[in-house]
C-alpha cells in the first residue's frame, strides 16, 4: 500500500498523502472548533486531491487570512486546506478525521491553543 487516503462522507472528495503523519494537531481556535477538524500536515505538492465537487472558504473575520479550507460541495465535510499567503515552511493540512478508523492510531496528538493567538 502506498499512501493514505482521507475521504469525505459521500466519497466525492478524496485526499491522498504519501505516509503517516508525524503528529496530529488538535487546535481550539474558533475555526477548527466549529469545523470539528483536527489536522495533519504535508508539503503542498504531496497532496493528491480528487477535486470532484470541491467547494472552498476563506475566513473574513481576520485582517489577514492565511489559508483556504476546502470542503465537499455535496456532503459538506471539510477535507483539507491550502495556504493563500507565503509561509515558511510551505505546507498544507488534511483533516485527520477523514481517514479510516485506526489508520492514525498511535500517532501523537498535540493540543494547540490557537484561540489565544
Ligand atoms: Zn462528500
Amino acid at each position: 500500500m502506498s499512501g493514505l487516503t482521507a475521504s469525505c462522507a459521500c466519497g466525492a472528495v478524496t485526499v491522498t498523502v504519501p505516509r503517516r503523519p508525524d503528529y496530529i494537531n488538535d487546535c481550539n481556535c474558533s475555526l477548527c472548533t466549529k469545523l470539528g477538524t483536527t489536522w495533519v500536515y504535508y508539503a503542498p505538492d504531496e497532496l493528491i486531491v480528487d477535486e470532484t465537487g470541491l467547494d472552498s472558504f476563506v475566513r473574513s473575520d481576520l485582517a489577514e487570512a492565511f489559508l483556504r479550507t476546502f470542503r465537499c460541495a455535496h456532503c459538506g465535510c471539510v477535507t483539507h486546506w491550502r495556504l493563500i499567503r507565503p509561509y515558511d515552511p510551505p505546507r498544507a493540512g488534511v483533516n485527520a478525521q477523514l481517514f479510516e478508523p485506526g489508520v492514525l492510531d498511535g500517532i501523537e496528538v498535540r493540543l494547540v491553543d490557537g484561540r489565544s493567538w
Side-chain angles (χ1 to χ4, degrees), residues 25-94:
N25 255 4
D26 185 348
C27 175
N28 67 356
C29 84
S30 61
L31 183 65
C32 293
T33 302
K34 293 191 179 195
L35 291 177
T37 50
T38 58
W39 301 104
V40 294
Y41 304 110
Y42 295 89
D45 62 3
E46 289 183 313
L47 270 55
I48 300 169
V49 183
D50 179 347
E51 303 192 345
T52 308
L54 204 60
D55 194 4
S56 73
F57 169 74
V58 177
R59 60 191 295 182
S60 56
D61 58 324
L62 298 177
E64 290 192 341
F66 266 83
L67 52 86
R68 175 182 297 275
T69 53
F70 291 88
R71 62 186 175 234
C72 174
H74 185 53
C75 73
C77 288
V78 171
T79 53
H80 62 295
W81 60 254
R82 290 189 183 281
L83 291 166
I84 56 175
R85 294 176 183 278
Y87 185 85
D88 190 26
R91 62 181 185 174
V94 179

Side-chain angles (χ1 to χ4, degrees), residues 23-29 38 108-114 117:
Y23 61 93
I24 299 167
N25 255 4
D26 185 348
C27 175
N28 67 356
C29 84
T38 58
E108 177 193 357
V109 176
R110 297 182 184 175
L111 300 179
V112 179
D113 187 19
W117 292 356

